[in-house]
Amino acid sequence: MAVTKTEPINSSSNKPSSSSVSMKSDLMSALSLKSLKLKTKQQELLIRVSILCLVYVLAFITRLFSVLRYESMIHEFDPYFNYRTTLFLTEKGFYEFWNWFDSESWYPLGRIIGGTLYPGLMVTAAIMYWGLRFLRFAVHIREVCVLTAPFFASNTTLVAYFFGKEIWDTGAGLVAAVLIAICPGYISRSVAGSYDNEGVAIFALLLTFYLFVKAVNTGSLAWGLGSALGYFYMVSAWGGYVFIINLIPLYVLVLLITGRYSMRLYVAYNSMYVLGMLLAMQIRFVGFQHVQSGEHMAAMGVFFLMQGFYFLGWVKHLLGDKKKFEALLRIIVTCAVGVGAIALGVGTASGYISPWTGRFYSLLDPTYAKDHIPIIASVSEHQPTAWSSFMFDFHILLFLFPAGLYFCFKRLSDATIFIVMYGLTSMYFAGVMVRLILVATPAVCLISAIAVSATIKNLTTLLRTKSKVSQTGSTKGASGGKGSSKALPDQSQPFQRNGAIALLFGAFYLLSRYAIHCTWVTSEAYSSPSIVLAARGAHGNRVIFDDYREAYYWLRQNTPADAKVMSWWDYGYQITAMGNRTVIVDNNTWNNTHIATVGRAMSSYEDEAYEIMRSLDVNYVLVVFGGVTGYSSDDINKFLWMVRIGGGVFPVIKEPDYLVNGEYRVDKGAAPKMLNCLMYKLSYYRFGELVTEYGKPPGYDRARGVEIGNKDIKLEHLEEAFTTSNWIVRIYKVKPPNNRW
Amino acid sequence: MGRATSTDAQALIHSLRSAYAATPSSLKIIDLYVGFAVFSAIIQVVYMAIVGSFPFNSFLSGVLSCIGTAVLAVCLRIQVNKENKEFKDLPSERAFADFVLCNLVLHLVIMNFLDRSGNELATGIGDMISDSPGKYQVNHHFYDLTTLESCHGSW
């Protein structure tokens, strides 16, 4: 769908300066909206409101691909945990939810869920559910969960409109709303079914920033309170709130240094910081970090700096102009800075102020995670971003972003400085970690919207002044800068006009290509539920693999209620949510030693692994195997991470034991430890007899593309309980020890 | 040099005092309020230094309520002060209403924050995929049996 945007008639600020102009607008209005007899200002309002309504609906429906293709279900892994907690919240109530201790995961340790999650998403979905129920709509909580993210994406477009209006003007706001409605960087984490924190958090982020910029622009305490409440919502929704609490002090610092500070800044920042900090500490997961963690110290430092700065400014104002004051001032300032630095140093050295945690430290030093924390390094979303990802997620916004920066620098104000800083810092972080492209998306959309809006406005202004040759229209020409019609020779005018028309067509072509690209990306790349796999059959028909849910429902229906399932941590949330069984480790990954124990069990020989499994009371083991279907995200491909994580805690597991000349193989030339470890045996049990592809020998692994080395596998302590129809999920039962010696 | 500085300081203080005496009395009342709030915050910090900081949430809520209301009063003073050109159009009733509203929210949050039992357990539990900023290095002693008991005991 091609989105062609015509610039709304920019008449709310310019009054028509001559009679023929007003005649022309009357003619146009008479032709177009004859029956309504609206004034120009009302026309503009109508156009704006209808555009916003269309954009609202567009943002919602473009995220519904997977619901239409498959069914309304929750995607991926993390959303299953969020769904389970939301279900618990709606069934048991808020008090039970807030104090929930879950013994069904991380057996035998359990997990304090009430204190270790961000409740914003669940509470939002529960409130919507209760609201709909109150209105007697009998919805199921799963539907509400699935559609939460698209709904909040639509709300984000509205906030983007207001934010654009605040920074530049209404035209930029409209373009920003359109761009962010379909931008793939945002869609990737907010499709229907992706019930994850980011779906709500980006809305909260943009809302907080908008309210803060509004507070700085107006200097009103009410807007400052609003931004503090927005910040509270953000803290309750996502751990990325650290970005806000560092960007805003940085912005204040920049304003102080460049001399653009004012009283409004004081009011806005202080109200937001004090109220926001207090509100944030109500979330148990965040706790006292705002006063104890190194990541939050910048805000506190800027707070104290501001107090000192403005106090000194007030004293100076009281005294008038005193020379000796300056000398004393210098002494006072150096003393204060010295005391502050000593306090910070003592706090950090004594460990009271905790240093930056590994996850955020790896943003500043990208090589840190690979050497020190393999779990962070193993997540594919934490890898540095490639250029292709940027192009994929942003398309034309990539080159509109620098253009927008240029326009922002041309018209510097408090608001544009903020958006420039937001854009630059978020682009840096997007370059360090793939999943942070999401945080950069609103900034990129806003700045690109400024570029688009300003360019198109200039071009249409050129067009419209050129068409009225009689009057010079100096008021209109002032905004263009591309040559007003004041003193131009006649023969260059048609060239300018043609040039403007050609450029306008070019702009519309680019925007329509953007829309096509975004829709294609949404449809092809970001709408897969990952729990249901689709492939093309031999005749081009679509084949659906629903093995995951098949296995989880088998677990739910065929195992005793207190059975414990051991699997790699990726599947923990899904097993607890759909299989309703206790798991050993899950996606929360809070306990590295426990995960390393599981990793060690998977990489050991069957006897040692059996010891470990008996000590953990494991009844069933679940592995994911892609050899029959060619599914490449299976456990054998993840196996080296199990070895690394296990080896990180238990030195008995050494990675070179599983490699041959540094190469990871599963065929005849593989390392003997690899061919006999538990993971290999569980994945390839009875696989040696299966013919997977025409013309290949039995036991041909389609995911690795080789024939497996050890076809004759015998299991001593486990027995096969269930294998799904496409062999993707395999479940084994751990046999109790023998009765006799 | 020392003599010069002390006479300078005296002259400064003198001129400060005379300049301050010229401010309107409404602003002086606000200044008194700010001074009182900061003073009570300092008293609380001194008390904490003597007695110890447990329970930390109560200490924080006490100090932050004082600092918070002081800061809000300073914002009120800025908005009400006739000399600030930026706030010329803001009626002082509106400024005071904003001040009252913000204080209301502040003290509501403080009242919730004053008594938070069982909070210390939650800190220190890292959370990777669910995006928590908690400490990554797991300390097993957070999960020994005694803490589990108190965990079950408090609710």
Side-chain angles (χ1 to χ4, degrees), chain A residues 530-679:
Chain A
S530 333
I531 190 166
V532 167
L533 311 163
R536 297 261 160 220
H539 304 283
N541 56 325
R542 209 167 62 145
V543 178
I544 303 252
F545 299 131
D546 209 1
D547 287 42
Y548 279 102
R549 294 196 291 175
E550 188 186 340
Y552 300 139
Y553 276 92
W554 184 91
L555 266 182
R556 192 190 190 109
Q557 290 163 351
N558 292 291
T559 57
D562 62 348
K564 329 263 182 302
V565 180
M566 179 172 95
S567 69
W568 193 234
W569 58 259
D570 284 349
Y571 317 109
Y573 281 156
Q574 287 180 342
I575 296 177
T576 29
M578 280 190 275
N580 204 19
R581 292 288 173 267
T582 309
V583 289
I584 306 292
V585 289
D586 68 16
N587 307 55
N588 193 6
T589 65
W590 67 267
N591 191 335
N592 192 32
T593 312
H594 219 49
I595 298 181
T597 312
V598 171
R600 178 183 175 188
M602 295 293 195
S603 347
S604 317
Y605 294 122
E606 198 184 340
D607 298 326
E608 301 158 9
Y610 185 62
E611 298 279 323
I612 299 175
M613 291 194 285
R614 291 289 306 156
S615 77
L616 288 172
D617 287 347
V618 175
N619 302 115
Y620 289 89
V621 182
L622 186 146
V623 296
V624 169
F625 172 60
V628 174
T629 49
Y631 177 53
S632 56
S633 312
D634 64 351
D635 279 356
I636 289 284
N637 277 347
K638 292 181 195 163
F639 182 60
L640 274 185
W641 285 110
M642 298 187 199
V643 170
R644 282 180 196 136
I645 294 174
V649 178
F650 302 104
V652 67
I653 307 282
K654 302 187 212 11
E655 193 181 338
D657 288 344
Y658 300 87
L659 304 172
V660 174
N661 294 333
E663 211 184 305
Y664 179 58
R665 298 168 66 168
V666 295
D667 54 2
K668 277 216 167 6
K673 183 129 195 212
M674 179 73 207
L675 289 177
N676 288 303
C677 67
L678 185 70
M679 176 55 72

Side-chain angles (χ1 to χ4, degrees), chain B:
Chain B
M1 177 64 187
R3 182 73 69 88
T5 335
S6 68
T7 46
D8 282 340
Q10 277 178 354
L12 252 173
I13 294 174
H14 187 74
S15 51
L16 260 176
R17 238 189 239 162
S18 55
Y20 187 67
T23 55
S25 59
S26 59
L27 295 183
K28 277 195 197 157
I29 293 177
I30 299 180
D31 290 338
L32 204 59
Y33 179 69
V34 173
F36 162 70
V38 172
F39 175 68
S40 48
I42 293 177
I43 296 276
Q44 288 179 41
V45 173
V46 168
Y47 179 72
M48 188 271 295
I50 297 175
V51 167
S53 73
F54 184 81
F56 195 55
N57 52 290
S58 311
F59 163 66
L60 263 186
S61 60
V63 169
L64 283 176
S65 75
C66 295
I67 301 281
T69 190
V71 159
L72 288 173
V74 172
C75 293
L76 174 68
R77 187 190 199 275
I78 288 174
Q79 287 181 337
V80 163
N81 198 353
K82 298 281 181 296
E83 295 172 9
N84 283 333
K85 302 288 178 303
E86 291 166 332
F87 293 107
K88 204 158 32 95
D89 301 326
L90 189 70
S92 52
E93 289 84 5
R94 166 75 198 267
F96 188 68
D98 283 345
F99 172 71
V100 167
L101 177 68
C102 288
N103 264 317
L104 201 64
V105 172
L106 176 79
H107 288 100
L108 273 174
V109 177
I110 293 291
M111 287 201 303
N112 181 37
F113 197 41
L114 267 174
D115 181 23
R116 304 278 306 286
S117 43
N119 196 36
E120 282 77 28
L121 270 177
T123 58
I125 297 171
D127 179 324
M128 304 311 300
I129 292 300
S130 304
D131 300 281
S132 92
K135 305 182 193 12
Y136 176 72
Q137 293 81 16
V138 171
N139 300 318
H140 274 286
H141 70 258
F142 277 108
Y143 258 73
D144 63 3
L145 217 53
T146 52
T147 49
L148 267 179
E149 305 261 295
S150 61
C151 171
H152 282 293
S154 55
W155 46 77

Side-chain angles (χ1 to χ4, degrees), chain A residues 43-57:
Chain A
Q43 274 180 32
E44 193 211 346
L45 185 65
L46 180 67
I47 293 178
R48 262 193 290 150
V49 169
S50 52
I51 289 178
L52 277 178
C53 288
L54 285 175
V55 167
Y56 195 89
V57 172

Side-chain angles (χ1 to χ4, degrees), chain A residues 110 120-121 167 174 177 215 229 258 278 287 299 323 364 450 591 651 670:
Chain A
L121 175 70
I167 296 177
L174 286 172
L229 290 173
T258 56
L278 263 175
K323 298 274 188 299
L364 298 177
I450 292 177
N591 191 335

